[in-house]
Amino acid sequence: MKKFLFLLVLILMGALIVGCSANEADIKDKEPEETNEEDEEKIETSGKDELSGEITVWAHPFTGDQETEGAMWKEIIASYEQETGVKVNFEQIPWANRDQKVLTALAANNGPDVFYVIPDQMPQYADVGMLLELDPYLEGFDIEDFVDTALVSTTWKDKLYGLPILQEAYTYIYNVDVVKAIGEDPENLPATWEEFEKWAAKAKDKGFYATSFQGGGSMNGTLYPFLWQAGGNVVTEDNEVLINNEAGVEAFTFINNMYEKGWIPADSITAMEHDGLWESGKMLAVQGSGISVSRLLSQDNFEFVIAPPMKHKEQLTYGTTGMFVAPVNTDNPAAAAEFIKVMTNTDNQKKFNTVTQYIPTRESAKDIFGEQKYLEQLAGYTQYALPGVIHPQGRTIMPLIQAEIQAMLEGKKTPQEAADAAAEAVKGKMN
């Protein structure tokens, strides 16, 4: 609640600073009786005015090679400036304290016109009216080319507030030596929970761990994939808490069984990583993404293969999405929206993701990995990759759920009790 009030105060401050100039997001938030014919005309013509002026764009460093990354940004920005005649002032800001920097700048009305956000930020900002709705600016825009799962994180209450530039897809990466050691075929990897459980039992019998479980880390890499695969969810955008329904309890039980049977390490309750066990060949598989593949290739410790995301009732996994958004109090909304569109077109997605080695969110841009078989394989799995819990409280409920998972693994609660306690904790955070 404190964070909600803080954000709301910032919105009100921003509104006072920019005065009474209305854009389409302001108009649509009014009650029906407050919308007059002049406002309706603004909605219809919004985004169609001739572009002019300048905009400020904020983004973060995405690689360690700033020379190459800087050249990429110059090329992308030049393409936009040439196409629109709008000048771009680009600033790279650090990842640390990014929320505070963005919110403070927007409240003072000297923030960016376009900035980068991740899935747990977008609904926080959109829910209190901080973001510019992009739908009025997308007439004739090819939205169908985007991967459906990439648009999940850019949408709140049926309104689109951002366009995605990058995705990831987490799935199991298997050590081929261990697969062979347990008598299985690396070309026929587990596709379901039941198949994985059989392999896990064999791995345990041969002295290997089945997988890693970072109980001290993010729910995105621990509970959530299993929860989605079971057909469940944490909470809806209408604040209906689902984590303790039948699917939720099934996911809690699956994790608890892995711990009780010794398929995951004893320190899994609070562990942040099991890199040493995995890299020394003592683990059958780990969930990983493109970064994991790059690390394995650089180390060259053992041969590995990548499996499609597992399926139980659903075939789903986790994969973050990065997007560009515009604040509602931008002085140049049409130009800001146009930059987001140009930034995420096919050509610029290819440029950006070739440099950053993330997966494009447009199907038409995925051919950049034609010579990289592992990234090409992972690119095919983003259709199954959900970006997390898309809710304004998505970030704050994570430690509450984590505490109940840990209590369950410690033997203090049954899976049903842990799921019920997690549900009550989540309900306490709903507005």
Side-chain angles (χ1 to χ4, degrees):
M1 180 61 75
K2 288 181 179 179
K3 190 163 190 177
F4 172 83
L5 292 174
F6 174 64
L7 291 172
L8 186 56
V9 167
L10 289 176
I11 290 297
L12 293 174
M13 289 172 63
L16 289 172
I17 293 169
V18 301
C20 299
S21 58
N23 55 38
E24 92 295 332
D26 298 321
I27 294 168
K28 288 190 176 183
D29 285 340
K30 291 180 180 179
E31 295 297 327
E33 63 269 22
E34 296 180 334
T35 303
N36 56 34
E37 293 181 1
E38 182 180 353
D39 290 334
E40 291 174 355
E41 183 178 350
K42 288 180 182 178
I43 293 173
E44 293 175 0
T45 61
S46 177
K48 299 179 182 178
D49 298 333
E50 185 175 349
L51 302 178
S52 61
E54 60 184 66
I55 59 171
T56 297
V57 176
W58 284 4
H60 308 291
F62 292 92
T63 73
D65 184 352
Q66 288 304 290
E67 182 176 352
T68 300
E69 190 172 335
M72 171 204 72
W73 278 114
K74 287 181 180 179
E75 189 174 354
I76 290 173
I77 289 169
S79 72
Y80 170 81
E81 291 181 333
Q82 183 175 3
E83 179 178 327
T84 65
V86 177
K87 175 178 171 53
V88 175
N89 302 304
F90 179 79
E91 181 180 347
Q92 189 179 78
I93 67 171
W95 290 97
N97 302 316
R98 59 190 183 278
D99 276 326
Q100 180 181 357
K101 182 176 178 65
V102 169
L103 294 173
T104 301
L106 293 181
N109 200 35
N110 62 2
D113 299 283
V114 174
F115 60 103
Y116 178 89
V117 299
I118 56 177
D120 64 1
Q121 293 173 300
M122 187 281 297
Q124 293 181 59
Y125 298 167
D127 197 53
V128 292
M130 289 185 64
L131 299 182
L132 181 73
E133 183 192 345
L134 295 183
D135 294 286
Y137 300 92
L138 299 182
E139 182 179 348
F141 182 71
D142 183 15
I143 199 75
E144 299 299 323
D145 189 38
F146 286 94
V147 181
D148 288 343
T149 54
L151 296 175
V152 170
S153 65
T154 66
T155 306
W156 180 245
K157 298 291 181 70
D158 297 322
K159 294 181 179 181
L160 191 73
Y161 291 102
L163 289 176
I165 183 68
L166 65 85
Q167 269 189 292
E168 287 184 305
Y170 279 73
T171 192
Y172 274 113
I173 302 172
Y174 287 80
N175 182 325
V176 170
D177 294 337
V178 178
V179 172
K180 292 179 178 178
I182 66 173
E184 292 293 347
D185 182 0
E187 295 186 4
N188 188 25
L189 301 171
T192 67
W193 284 14
E194 292 76 15
E195 292 171 2
F196 181 80
E197 287 174 320
K198 291 177 182 178
W199 281 41
K202 289 183 179 182
K204 172 65 175 175
D205 290 343
K206 292 289 186 177
F208 300 101
Y209 290 111
T211 189
S212 170
F213 188 86
Q214 296 94 29
S218 168
M219 294 289 97
N220 288 327
T222 55
L223 171 66
Y224 291 171
F226 297 121
L227 181 63
W228 298 326
Q229 289 163 12
N233 205 341
V234 177
V235 61
T236 70
E237 64 179 23
D238 295 320
N239 296 341
E240 181 184 3
V241 178
L242 304 175
I243 194 171
N244 64 329
N245 64 13
E246 182 179 351
V249 174
E250 193 170 10
F252 274 69
T253 300
F254 184 85
I255 293 169
N256 197 51
N257 285 343
M258 285 201 297
Y259 190 73
E260 288 185 340
K261 294 178 180 180
W263 296 347
I264 55 180
D267 69 346
S268 293
I269 298 173
T270 58
M272 296 297 292
E273 47 85 13
H274 288 126
D275 293 345
L277 291 172
W278 166 244
E279 291 166 5
S280 61
K282 297 178 181 178
M283 195 167 278
L284 173 64
V286 296
Q287 287 201 79
S289 64
I291 295 175
S292 312
V293 168
S294 297
R295 182 168 178 171
L296 285 169
L297 290 173
S298 67
Q299 294 173 335
D300 196 25
N301 291 341
F302 50 78
E303 184 183 358
F304 63 92
V305 287
I306 303 175
M310 277 203 302
K311 180 179 181 180
H312 190 50
K313 293 183 178 66
E314 304 285 346
Q315 185 178 15
L316 292 168
T317 186
Y318 166 72
T320 193
T321 302
M323 73 200 82
F324 286 96
V325 300
V328 73
N329 64 347
T330 172
D331 291 329
N332 203 343
E338 190 64 23
F339 181 87
I340 295 171
K341 290 158 63 178
V342 171
M343 180 71 214
T344 57
N345 68 24
T346 299
D347 288 344
N348 286 331
Q349 286 223 16
K350 287 183 177 183
K351 294 171 185 175
F352 179 90
N353 289 294
T354 296
V355 170
T356 64
Q357 291 291 278
Y358 286 103
I359 300 171
T361 58
R362 281 187 177 273
E363 294 290 357
S364 60
K366 287 186 176 181
D367 59 3
I368 61 173
F369 298 131
E371 300 298 320
Q372 302 177 65
K373 68 173 184 177
Y374 295 116
L375 287 177
E376 183 180 31
Q377 184 179 358
L378 289 173
Y381 298 152
T382 57
Q383 62 181 307
Y384 308 115
L386 296 180
V389 175
I390 305 303
H391 191 280
Q393 296 294 336
R395 186 185 295 183
T396 60
I397 63 178
M398 269 196 187
L400 306 178
I401 300 170
Q402 181 184 62
E404 300 306 328
I405 292 284
Q406 292 173 331
M408 176 186 70
L409 296 181
E410 289 171 348
K412 297 177 180 178
K413 294 181 180 179
T414 66
Q416 181 71 66
E417 291 169 342
D420 287 341
E424 288 303 309
V426 172
K427 288 177 183 176
K429 288 292 183 180
M430 296 299 102
N431 297 319

